[in-house]
mmCIF file of all heavy atoms in Angstrom:
data_model
loop_
_atom_site.group_PDB
_atom_site.id
_atom_site.type_symbol
_atom_site.label_atom_id
_atom_site.label_comp_id
_atom_site.label_asym_id
_atom_site.label_seq_id
_atom_site.Cartn_x
_atom_site.Cartn_y
_atom_site.Cartn_z
ATOM 1 N N VAL A 1072 22.393 1.783 -33.281
ATOM 2 C CA VAL A 1072 22.336 2.834 -34.310
ATOM 3 C C VAL A 1072 21.132 2.527 -35.179
ATOM 4 O O VAL A 1072 20.836 1.357 -35.457
ATOM 5 C CB VAL A 1072 23.619 2.891 -35.176
ATOM 6 C CG1 VAL A 1072 24.807 3.331 -34.355
ATOM 7 C CG2 VAL A 1072 23.902 1.564 -35.854
ATOM 8 N N ARG A 1073 20.401 3.555 -35.568
ATOM 9 C CA ARG A 1073 19.234 3.350 -36.419
ATOM 10 C C ARG A 1073 18.962 4.590 -37.265
ATOM 11 O O ARG A 1073 19.496 5.658 -36.994
ATOM 12 C CB ARG A 1073 17.994 2.996 -35.604
ATOM 13 C CG ARG A 1073 17.533 4.045 -34.621
ATOM 14 C CD ARG A 1073 16.110 3.769 -34.118
ATOM 15 N NE ARG A 1073 15.906 2.384 -33.771
ATOM 16 C CZ ARG A 1073 14.727 1.760 -33.841
ATOM 17 N NH1 ARG A 1073 13.662 2.421 -34.233
ATOM 18 N NH2 ARG A 1073 14.600 0.501 -33.503
ATOM 19 N N GLY A 1074 18.138 4.421 -38.254
ATOM 20 C CA GLY A 1074 17.811 5.563 -39.088
ATOM 21 C C GLY A 1074 17.028 5.129 -40.310
ATOM 22 O O GLY A 1074 16.650 3.953 -40.439
ATOM 23 N N ALA A 1075 16.794 6.074 -41.180
ATOM 24 C CA ALA A 1075 16.017 5.783 -42.383
ATOM 25 C C ALA A 1075 16.532 6.617 -43.545
ATOM 26 O O ALA A 1075 17.062 7.720 -43.352
ATOM 27 C CB ALA A 1075 14.541 6.073 -42.124
ATOM 28 N N PHE A 1076 16.407 6.071 -44.741
ATOM 29 C CA PHE A 1076 16.826 6.761 -45.958
ATOM 30 C C PHE A 1076 15.617 6.938 -46.871
ATOM 31 O O PHE A 1076 14.881 5.970 -47.116
ATOM 32 C CB PHE A 1076 17.884 5.944 -46.709
ATOM 33 C CG PHE A 1076 19.218 5.909 -46.012
ATOM 34 C CD1 PHE A 1076 19.497 4.910 -45.081
ATOM 35 C CD2 PHE A 1076 20.177 6.863 -46.284
ATOM 36 C CE1 PHE A 1076 20.722 4.869 -44.436
ATOM 37 C CE2 PHE A 1076 21.410 6.828 -45.643
ATOM 38 C CZ PHE A 1076 21.688 5.831 -44.719
ATOM 39 N N ASP A 1077 15.444 8.149 -47.347
ATOM 40 C CA ASP A 1077 14.419 8.420 -48.347
ATOM 41 C C ASP A 1077 15.050 8.177 -49.708
ATOM 42 O O ASP A 1077 15.991 8.867 -50.099
ATOM 43 C CB ASP A 1077 13.973 9.891 -48.204
ATOM 44 C CG ASP A 1077 12.852 10.234 -49.161
ATOM 45 O OD1 ASP A 1077 12.523 9.402 -50.013
ATOM 46 O OD2 ASP A 1077 12.310 11.351 -49.049
ATOM 47 N N LEU A 1078 14.572 7.151 -50.408
ATOM 48 C CA LEU A 1078 15.193 6.780 -51.675
ATOM 49 C C LEU A 1078 14.428 7.370 -52.864
ATOM 50 O O LEU A 1078 14.484 6.830 -53.964
ATOM 51 C CB LEU A 1078 15.275 5.251 -51.796
ATOM 52 C CG LEU A 1078 15.981 4.515 -50.645
ATOM 53 C CD1 LEU A 1078 15.916 3.017 -50.840
ATOM 54 C CD2 LEU A 1078 17.427 4.970 -50.528
ATOM 55 N N GLY A 1079 13.708 8.441 -52.622
ATOM 56 C CA GLY A 1079 12.973 9.075 -53.710
ATOM 57 C C GLY A 1079 11.759 8.281 -54.130
ATOM 58 O O GLY A 1079 11.598 7.923 -55.288
ATOM 59 N N GLY A 1080 10.933 7.978 -53.192
ATOM 60 C CA GLY A 1080 9.736 7.160 -53.445
ATOM 61 C C GLY A 1080 9.721 5.972 -52.513
ATOM 62 O O GLY A 1080 8.810 5.793 -51.723
ATOM 63 N N SER A 1081 10.776 5.196 -52.579
ATOM 64 C CA SER A 1081 10.915 4.079 -51.640
ATOM 65 C C SER A 1081 11.612 4.580 -50.374
ATOM 66 O O SER A 1081 12.224 5.639 -50.373
ATOM 67 C CB SER A 1081 11.757 2.968 -52.258
ATOM 68 O OG SER A 1081 11.205 2.555 -53.480
ATOM 69 N N THR A 1082 11.493 3.793 -49.335
ATOM 70 C CA THR A 1082 12.151 4.135 -48.070
ATOM 71 C C THR A 1082 12.855 2.908 -47.512
ATOM 72 O O THR A 1082 12.327 1.790 -47.582
ATOM 73 C CB THR A 1082 11.108 4.621 -47.032
ATOM 74 O OG1 THR A 1082 10.341 5.685 -47.600
ATOM 75 C CG2 THR A 1082 11.783 5.136 -45.784
ATOM 76 N N LEU A 1083 14.046 3.140 -46.975
ATOM 77 C CA LEU A 1083 14.796 2.061 -46.332
ATOM 78 C C LEU A 1083 15.052 2.466 -44.898
ATOM 79 O O LEU A 1083 15.524 3.576 -44.647
ATOM 80 C CB LEU A 1083 16.134 1.863 -47.064
ATOM 81 C CG LEU A 1083 17.035 0.751 -46.537
ATOM 82 C CD1 LEU A 1083 16.507 -0.610 -46.975
ATOM 83 C CD2 LEU A 1083 18.466 0.942 -47.049
ATOM 84 N N ASN A 1084 14.703 1.612 -43.958
ATOM 85 C CA ASN A 1084 15.062 1.909 -42.572
ATOM 86 C C ASN A 1084 15.906 0.770 -42.016
ATOM 87 O O ASN A 1084 15.804 -0.366 -42.453
ATOM 88 C CB ASN A 1084 13.820 2.203 -41.717
ATOM 89 C CG ASN A 1084 12.847 1.052 -41.664
ATOM 90 O OD1 ASN A 1084 13.167 -0.012 -41.155
ATOM 91 N ND2 ASN A 1084 11.649 1.245 -42.212
#
Side-chain angles (χ1 to χ4, degrees):
Chain A
V1072 293
R1073 62 165 45 209
F1076 289 89
D1077 183 352
L1078 305 176
S1081 304
T1082 306
L1083 181 76
N1084 60 64

